[in-house]
């Protein structure tokens, strides 16, 4: 079954859930080695962390992980 999200069409309807402490780049690459079609997701990223860590790349990913999704959390509108 294919899954379409905007312009992205995947050959699978499997999406890796964001899991704090687990969904780092190494884990995503392991998942990718078992499934070329699943959509992987980073750990949940807070909007505050993005604002505070502008100099650090907390959204880091490798080419092998693509396509990749990011789940952002937070409520302060000044960070969104």
């Amino acid at each position: 079954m294919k899954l379409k999200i905007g312009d992205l069409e995947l050959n699978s309807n499997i999406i890796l859930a964001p899991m704090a402490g687990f969904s780092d780049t190494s884990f995503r690459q392991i998942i990718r080695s078992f499934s070329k079609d699943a959509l992987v997701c980073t750990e949940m990223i807070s909007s505050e962390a993005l604002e505070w860590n502008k100099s650090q790349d907390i959204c880091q990913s490798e080419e092998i992980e693509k396509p990749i999704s990011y789940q952002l959390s937070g409520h302060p509108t000044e960070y969104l």
Side-chain angles (χ1 to χ4, degrees), residues 33-44:
S33 72
F34 287 102
S35 175
K36 303 296 182 207
D37 297 324
L39 180 62
V40 297
C41 189
T42 64
E43 297 181 71
M44 191 176 297

Side-chain angles (χ1 to χ4, degrees), residues 3-79:
L3 175 66
K4 187 169 182 178
I5 304 171
D7 293 337
L8 178 65
E9 188 170 315
L10 303 169
N11 292 322
S12 174
N13 61 353
I14 297 172
I15 300 173
L16 177 68
M19 298 176 284
F22 288 94
S23 301
D24 61 8
T25 186
S26 298
F27 182 73
R28 295 189 305 265
Q29 290 178 36
I30 290 169
I31 296 299
R32 179 63 67 222
S33 72
F34 287 102
S35 175
K36 303 296 182 207
D37 297 324
L39 180 62
V40 297
C41 189
T42 64
E43 297 181 71
M44 191 176 297
I45 302 168
S46 75
S47 57
E48 292 89 347
L50 286 174
E51 178 66 20
W52 298 329
N53 296 304
K54 286 182 178 179
S55 63
Q56 298 177 4
D57 190 4
I58 62 175
C59 297
Q60 177 183 354
S61 66
E62 300 293 330
E63 188 64 32
I64 190 173
E65 300 171 62
K66 294 180 181 172
I68 189 168
S69 61
Y70 299 86
Q71 182 168 0
L72 302 176
S73 66
H75 64 277
T77 56
E78 63 269 18
Y79 298 138

